[in-house]
Amino acid sequence: MTEHSNEGDEPLESSSPSLSLSTFHDACQEAGRPVLTASELARALERPQRAVFDDLEALSASGDLKRLSVSRDPVVWFPSELEDLTDRERVVVFPKRREIIVDRPDQFTRAQLTQFANLEDTNGEGGYRYVVRPADVWQAPHDTFEALQRTIRQALSRTVPALESWIESQWRRAHQFRLTTHPEGYTVLEGESAEVMGNVARQKLDESHVHAPISDTEDWVREGAEAAIKRTLYEAGYPVQDDRDLASGDPLEFELQVSLRSYQETWVDRFLESGEGVYVGPPGSGKTIAAIATMERVGGETLVLVPSRDLARQWAETLVDADVTTLGPDDVGQYHGGQKEIRPVTIATYQIAGMDRHRSLFDDREWGLVVFDECQHVPSDVYRRSTHLQSRHRLGLSASPLREDDRAAEIFTLIGPPIGTDWEALFEAGFVAEPELEIRYVPWADDEHANAYGSADGRERYQLAAMNPEKVDEVRYLLAAHPDARALVFVDYLEQGRDIAAALDVPFLSGETPHTERQRLLEAFRHDELETLVLSRVGDEGIDLPSADLAIVASGLGGSRRQGTQRAGRTMRPAGGALVYVLATRGTREEDFARRQLQHLGRQGLTVREQTVDRDQDEEATDSDEVGGAGDLEE
Ligand SMILES: Nc1ncnc2c1ncn2[C@@H]1O[C@H](COP(=O)(O)OP(=O)(O)OP(=O)(O)O)[C@@H](O)[C@H]1O
């Protein structure tokens, strides 16, 4: 507000009439455009520019005008009511593609849209692209189609018959069958009509699933066959509504000491409505806390299954933390290779849970809730062994959107439907900091390596690109460019990990690192005693890594998209400001891998940058703060 302001205290032309909004309108009319600079207006009014500027400021202070700085051009002014027009959200629907493009949606619209559509893309300038997928409709939290229709109309501000009728057909599909509990305690499969019961259920299911028909539309379900029935009908295109009375198990009483954020409240409410579901949120978004809140509300003894011992320990620590719950150490047990305690809340690894001789884990107590952490990794033997827990509340946690996952069907039927959140909204609200992502295309260390790549094939080729020694220098360079950052360096190959660790004189944590040493390193990193840690694939999953300011993925691009999400997510902690660099050898398949992997994150609304490293310039730039200045740009 100061660049043109009147330095003196005296008004320059106290006697001249001050500018009114209608005079401004007249001048706009005259100029034939809705915005004016101060000098244009001064010319039109034949008044000194500074005086006009002061009047403009006054009108801006009273809210009648808005100012807009357009890069290096002079400030322009326009009537405030115009802003209402330009800011109003615009919704464009493509019914055939089931796509909804919204420009500047407000919070309400976004909340409505996430009830039946998935946010696929944002352009960073207020544009959002949603797609309505079948599963989004199946899991819509509405009791009737009419209620869902109201939400759709509110979100779109109009009726779009073609889209509505597709959604209706999906909704009806997902409401043809439901499982209920008979007053006598057994499970009943109920069809919407005798036709669908006869033509679908009774064709697809056999005596291993159901005992006998109870009526034209009802079958008596065999104990323990619920999961198989849900799976079979899901595959036939009819997701089953699971409306059974779920057992809450032996009571578990404690109080959560944390107040939930509103999106966490929504997750828990939606879970409690159906008794099953998967919280899908970026790492650090508070899924663990929401799961603990769910335990409190279900009020039953809980079995938590996790992919590793480190995570089991982490869960146990969180659960007995006096700032989080009122649970005492005797309430919480861990069950894995290290210790075997079955307590009101028991945390076990998938590995143990999948073993026959540890079956008692599932049966020793009346669990009311089973939590599947990182549920995209539930091994099939764990599913098999836990099918009888279908009558209990089942909660999955996942930091990867489930849509492209092969296991989506299994997760959907055996645990429950995803309970999602608009990730962008979490980033915007500052609950989870959005990392900056950059792919850096690194040249070959020398011709010898480039030639070796040229004449190799298959796996070897991939490995040569991954282990390009030039990446060691690139890691060194990036660390030097961020001298105060706590950094995690991820590698896929032990040899590379050792090379980088040796070159930088920092520890390397891999599957070979003894358990106690692993703990020691992680603790040191967590407490700032260690600035840099190199991690092999083992660092990806299972370990609850401390937050970092910087993550460098030196190799590992052949991995799944999920791995990419997780690695990026390591730094997505509420502290914020995290940076993720992914290194790819220039001119190799790695480039495509990196692009594809990060595109996925890009679709979640993150900004992905690409940078080609030019080694000669890099050397000079090592001491500079400005990493971006080091390379040749980009796309
Ligand atoms: N409602 C809340 N109020 C205050 N802090 C919270 C809340 N929910 C979560 N947090 C904090 O945010 C951080 C991340 O939460 P949490 O561990 O539950 O996330 P997460 O989604 O399970 O992460 P990850 O996927 O990495 O396991 C923790 O430090 C936690 O204490």
Side-chain angles (χ1 to χ4, degrees), residues 258-261 263-264 267 281-290 311 324 373-374 397-399 431 544 569-570 573-574:
V258 180
S259 37
L260 291 187
R261 298 167 181 155
Y263 66 87
Q264 287 171 319
W267 288 351
S285 56
K287 295 181 295 297
T288 309
I289 297 290
L311 266 184
V324 180
D373 195 7
E374 306 260 9
L397 307 179
S398 174
F431 288 126
D544 190 78
R570 289 307 178 196
R573 294 288 164 170

Side-chain angles (χ1 to χ4, degrees), residues 71-324:
S71 62
R72 268 166 282 128
D73 295 334
V75 172
V76 296
W77 302 80
F78 59 92
S80 300
E81 67 254 24
L82 256 189
E83 190 176 54
D84 299 340
L85 288 178
T86 51
D87 261 6
R88 209 163 46 207
E89 62 183 41
R90 277 185 294 271
V91 182
V92 184
V93 182
F94 300 93
K96 269 212 189 114
R97 304 207 300 266
R98 301 188 303 278
E99 249 180 54
I100 303 164
I101 312 284
V102 203
D103 197 26
R104 299 168 207 279
D106 60 26
Q107 290 297 339
F108 175 76
T109 306
R110 276 165 63 173
Q112 303 286 87
L113 282 166
T114 37
Q115 293 187 41
F116 63 92
N118 186 59
L119 176 61
E120 298 271 327
D121 237 337
T122 59
N123 65 1
E125 292 164 14
Y128 291 72
R129 187 170 71 91
Y130 291 84
V131 173
V132 188
R133 305 161 307 171
D136 298 319
V137 179
W138 300 344
Q139 77 205 42
H142 301 80
D143 290 334
T144 61
F145 174 70
E146 288 63 37
L148 170 57
Q149 196 175 35
R150 267 197 301 280
T151 303
I152 301 169
R153 290 182 180 173
Q154 278 169 349
L156 307 181
S157 310
R158 62 181 179 281
T159 309
V160 183
L163 182 68
E164 282 186 14
S165 68
W166 182 85
I167 292 180
E168 182 171 6
S169 71
Q170 286 298 329
W171 200 87
R172 303 256 174 248
R173 222 163 213 280
H175 290 79
Q176 292 297 322
F177 293 107
R178 60 187 206 119
L179 292 172
T180 58
T181 306
H182 191 274
E184 282 173 24
Y186 55 84
T187 304
V188 175
L189 173 69
E190 228 182 85
E192 183 60 21
S193 64
E195 287 73 42
V196 78
M197 201 66 194
N199 295 335
V200 182
R202 288 179 185 152
Q203 302 296 322
K204 300 277 174 197
L205 304 174
D206 56 34
E207 62 273 21
S208 68
H209 302 109
V210 289
H211 286 293
I214 304 172
S215 72
D216 281 355
T217 56
E218 293 165 303
D219 276 355
W220 176 358
V221 171
R222 268 186 195 277
E223 209 177 324
E226 291 88 351
I229 291 179
K230 286 202 278 180
R231 183 68 197 262
T232 307
L233 291 179
Y234 178 95
E235 279 168 359
Y238 293 90
V240 179
Q241 299 289 315
D242 193 344
D243 294 336
R244 286 170 297 156
D245 302 337
L246 296 179
S248 289
D250 283 337
L252 173 74
E253 277 180 32
F254 72 95
E255 273 166 36
L256 184 73
Q257 305 294 71
V258 180
S259 37
L260 291 187
R261 298 167 181 155
S262 73
Y263 66 87
Q264 287 171 319
E265 286 284 1
T266 310
W267 288 351
V268 177
D269 287 347
R270 282 187 60 182
F271 178 88
L272 292 174
E273 272 169 32
S274 57
E276 50 168 28
V278 179
Y279 297 157
V280 185
S285 56
K287 295 181 295 297
T288 309
I289 297 290
I292 297 173
T294 312
M295 285 167 52
E296 183 206 27
R297 305 272 188 87
V298 169
E301 295 192 346
T302 300
L303 176 63
V304 182
L305 298 173
V306 299
S308 76
R309 232 197 265 190
D310 286 309
L311 266 184
R313 186 188 44 79
Q314 190 73 30
W315 263 91
E317 278 172 17
T318 308
L319 281 163
V320 300
D321 183 339
D323 291 335
V324 180

Side-chain angles (χ1 to χ4, degrees), residues 41-59:
L41 186 61
R43 268 200 304 282
L45 300 179
E46 296 180 359
R47 290 180 54 206
Q49 185 176 340
R50 284 190 89 175
V52 167
F53 190 87
D54 288 343
D55 284 351
L56 285 168
E57 293 254 86
L59 276 181

Side-chain angles (χ1 to χ4, degrees), residues 351-393:
Q351 202 195 3
I352 284 273
M355 294 179 182
D356 252 344
R357 64 196 148 92
H358 294 289
R359 183 175 304 163
S360 60
L361 184 62
F362 293 108
D363 303 327
D364 272 8
R365 282 187 180 261
E366 281 293 308
W367 304 118
L369 170 69
V370 187
V371 179
F372 299 86
D373 195 7
E374 306 260 9
C375 68
Q376 66 277 16
H377 297 305
V378 181
S380 46
D381 45 6
V382 171
Y383 273 135
R384 222 176 27 246
R385 228 167 290 284
S386 61
T387 44
H388 66 291
L389 294 176
Q390 281 285 308
S391 57
R392 311 308 160 97
H393 297 79

